[in-house]
Amino acid sequence: VDSLQMVDAPLHTVAWGKVMSAAPMLVAAGKPGMRLATKNTWFMLHNVRAGMDEASSLDMRTYGEIMEQSMQRYADLLAEYSMMPKRFWSNMLRSRTDRYFTADEAEDYGLVDHVV
């Protein structure tokens, strides 16, 4: 995200196919007006704590604190780069299941500017 924000040249971000995990944030962090998604693209967000089942209890506590901070920052960034509030993104990221949405929904949420 920081690298995308530092580019001065016109930078188009294009989502196509499956845009998952941190990728929706990378698309959204593109230059406003130049964030595109193809019409058949699917987006997916998931709880950043996925896969913690295998860690020890001490690891889980430490990892859990880091993941909570990461999830809050992720929600902050999604709110900054979209039209939806942090609470919307926090709720989606806290889901126990993967959250899928279409390119049209991504446009409605403000993650992309145009569906092509």
Side-chain angles (χ1 to χ4, degrees), residues 12-30:
H12 294 259
T13 53
V14 181
W16 73 89
K18 297 176 186 170
V19 179
M20 301 179 161
S21 196
M25 180 176 49
L26 294 175
V27 172

Side-chain angles (χ1 to χ4, degrees), residues 53-71:
D53 304 354
E54 301 161 9
S56 71
S57 61
L58 181 58
D59 289 342
M60 285 180 61
R61 189 172 341 135
T62 302
Y63 187 68
E65 292 168 6
I66 292 167
M67 289 300 95
E68 181 62 30
Q69 291 172 6
S70 295
M71 190 163 36

Side-chain angles (χ1 to χ4, degrees), residues 17-115:
K18 297 176 186 170
V19 179
M20 301 179 161
S21 196
M25 180 176 49
L26 294 175
V27 172
K31 302 287 184 197
M34 299 182 183
R35 305 170 308 161
L36 310 173
T38 60
K39 64 182 176 180
N40 293 306
T41 298
W42 280 95
F43 291 78
M44 185 273 285
L45 293 175
H46 59 85
N47 190 313
V48 296
R49 294 183 185 194
M52 284 184 53
D53 304 354
E54 301 161 9
S56 71
S57 61
L58 181 58
D59 289 342
M60 285 180 61
R61 189 172 341 135
T62 302
Y63 187 68
E65 292 168 6
I66 292 167
M67 289 300 95
E68 181 62 30
Q69 291 172 6
S70 295
M71 190 163 36
Q72 290 302 316
R73 185 65 185 137
Y74 194 1
D76 286 338
L77 289 168
L78 286 169
E80 180 179 339
Y81 299 133
S82 73
M83 296 183 302
M84 303 305 286
K86 180 180 178 178
R87 183 179 181 97
F88 174 86
W89 295 115
S90 291
N91 288 340
M92 191 172 284
L93 291 167
R94 289 187 188 287
S95 174
R96 293 191 178 270
T97 60
D98 295 343
R99 300 293 300 267
Y100 289 87
F101 49 97
T102 66
D104 289 329
E105 289 170 313
E107 184 178 26
D108 291 343
Y109 300 158
L111 292 179
V112 298
D113 302 306
H114 306 286
V115 176

